[in-house]
Amino acid sequence: MRLDIVTCQPELLISPFAVSIVKRAQEKGLAEIHVHDLRRFAINKHGQIDDYVFGGGAGMVLRVEPIAACLDELLAQRSYDAVIYMTPDGETLRQPLVNRFSLAGNLLILCGHYKGVDERIRKAYITHEISVGDYVLSGGELGAAILVDAVVRLLPGVLGNEESALSDSFQDDLLAPPVYTRPAEWRGEKVPDILLSGNTPLVDVWRHEQALERTRQRRPDLLNE
């Protein structure tokens, strides 16, 4: 998979992709991540990429020309399964959508900044508008990092045990059950006996029951859906 990210703050994306699972995915050749600095396409020598809001009001808006020039250059080089804009008013990122993106070959992600991007860019280029939650960040970079991490970890060969991803929260519309490791007793608290029994079918039943109960207590909206 190739992921291209367009941003005016590329420095924000250095560390999220330089460690852990996403780093290993790149080292294995399973994912290519390319970050493109929007200021390379600035409209003047001063590096301008934004301007005032038409109609008045506070804040700045990313201009059409730099974004269009960058996207046109990338789209001329390859086709993309999705051109994604990270924005608070987009579709909330959920696991089924992440699963679909993980099947793609190429993804192009545009990060907003300031008050966002000129609406004409959204109409002309964007196929998916994605939000990572009902709150506002300084820009789309951290949201893009979340999206990339969620998608890349699902690629075949990235995780040491691919079944691990299948048992994550939200994969079956349930939260994950509680998990334990050694020691079997700590400060008087014991690991549930069923997990030490070696009876895999009963362990699976217990985990499903625990997942249902945890979801019922913490995210009943998932069960309603």
Side-chain angles (χ1 to χ4, degrees), residues 5-113:
I5 304 172
V6 177
T7 170
C8 62
Q9 300 286 340
E11 297 83 2
L12 286 173
L13 294 171
I14 295 174
S15 61
F17 303 149
V19 295
S20 191
I21 292 172
V22 177
K23 177 186 178 182
R24 293 201 299 271
Q26 294 177 86
E27 290 175 341
K28 290 181 178 180
L30 301 174
E32 289 184 40
I33 302 174
H34 301 269
V35 178
H36 306 273
D37 189 350
L38 191 58
R39 294 190 185 279
R40 185 165 66 87
F41 301 87
I43 63 172
N44 55 38
K45 64 180 181 180
H46 304 295
Q48 183 182 357
I49 57 173
D50 61 346
D51 218 322
Y52 297 106
V53 183
F54 273 136
M60 305 291 281
V61 177
L62 291 175
R63 290 180 60 126
V64 171
E65 305 98 321
I67 299 175
C70 182
L71 296 183
D72 285 343
E73 181 179 284
L74 292 171
L75 290 167
Q77 296 171 4
R78 64 189 54 83
S79 61
Y80 290 91
D81 298 283
V83 181
I84 302 165
Y85 174 50
M86 306 304 302
T87 174
D89 60 356
E91 176 185 359
T92 301
L93 184 64
R94 298 197 176 200
Q95 194 63 46
L97 183 58
V98 172
N99 292 346
R100 292 200 296 273
F101 283 146
S102 73
L103 301 176
N106 300 317
L107 296 177
L108 175 54
I109 305 171
L110 172 62
C111 301
H113 210 71

Side-chain angles (χ1 to χ4, degrees), residues 90-161:
E91 176 185 359
T92 301
L93 184 64
R94 298 197 176 200
Q95 194 63 46
L97 183 58
V98 172
N99 292 346
R100 292 200 296 273
F101 283 146
S102 73
L103 301 176
N106 300 317
L107 296 177
L108 175 54
I109 305 171
L110 172 62
C111 301
H113 210 71
Y114 311 118
K115 297 294 286 185
V117 304
D118 189 294
E119 185 69 15
R120 291 167 289 186
I121 288 292
R122 299 171 75 162
K123 291 180 178 179
Y125 293 95
I126 304 303
T127 63
H128 296 75
E129 300 187 345
I130 302 298
S131 167
V132 293
D134 295 339
Y135 46 87
V136 177
L137 300 170
S138 299
E141 290 78 15
L142 298 181
I146 289 172
L147 173 59
V148 170
D149 186 281
V151 168
V152 167
R153 67 189 305 277
L154 297 181
L155 300 179
V158 170
L159 297 180
N161 183 348

